Amino acid sequence: MAMESWEAKIISLAILLTITIVFGFIPRALNVNGSQKIISAFNCIAGGVLMGTTLLHLLPEVMEDVENGLKQNEIDVHDYPIATLTVGLGFLLIVFVEMLAHTIQDWMAH
């Protein structure tokens, strides 16, 4: 029995979500020991899973959907990678918000 495309996507989503949650919460559980290198390694693994999922799986689908949407609405952008630009700007926005939150948190602590 062959698996449908949407079934494979749901299973992949569940597996990736589980891996991300597990590796995201392990540092919280290990915080009692205070081992910063282990905590940092698990945080890097969790972040790597999220970034890998985005870049390897979601970005090609977004690029295809944006291209189809532009063609349907007859918008010509001269082959400019709008989807890639949008994803990149979204990533930079998240980095900026996170840096701002850390700055405010440090300022409030002092």
Side-chain angles (χ1 to χ4, degrees):
M1 187 165 100
M3 186 180 300
E4 294 288 327
S5 174
W6 66 270
E7 291 173 326
K9 288 180 182 181
I10 296 295
I11 292 170
S12 298
L13 177 68
I15 290 170
L16 290 170
L17 180 65
T18 303
I19 290 171
T20 303
I21 288 174
V22 167
F23 280 101
F25 280 117
I26 285 176
R28 185 66 90 174
L30 295 176
N31 199 18
V32 175
N33 298 337
S35 178
Q36 282 301 111
K37 288 187 179 188
I38 294 173
I39 292 171
S40 179
F42 282 123
N43 278 331
C44 289
I45 291 170
V49 169
L50 283 173
M51 184 168 268
T53 301
T54 301
L55 295 178
L56 297 175
H57 178 69
L58 297 177
L59 185 58
E61 286 187 23
V62 168
M63 291 172 66
E64 183 180 325
D65 289 345
V66 168
E67 183 179 325
N68 290 339
L70 291 173
K71 284 181 183 177
Q72 285 178 353
N73 294 314
E74 299 177 0
I75 299 173
D76 185 24
V77 291
H78 306 291
D79 296 326
Y80 193 79
I82 297 293
T84 310
L85 174 70
T86 305
V87 170
L89 289 175
F91 176 76
L92 289 176
L93 178 66
I94 290 171
V95 169
F96 173 75
V97 169
E98 187 170 329
M99 289 177 65
L100 182 65
H102 283 290
T103 302
I104 291 171
Q105 183 181 19
D106 290 343
W107 178 74
M108 296 290 280
H110 294 288

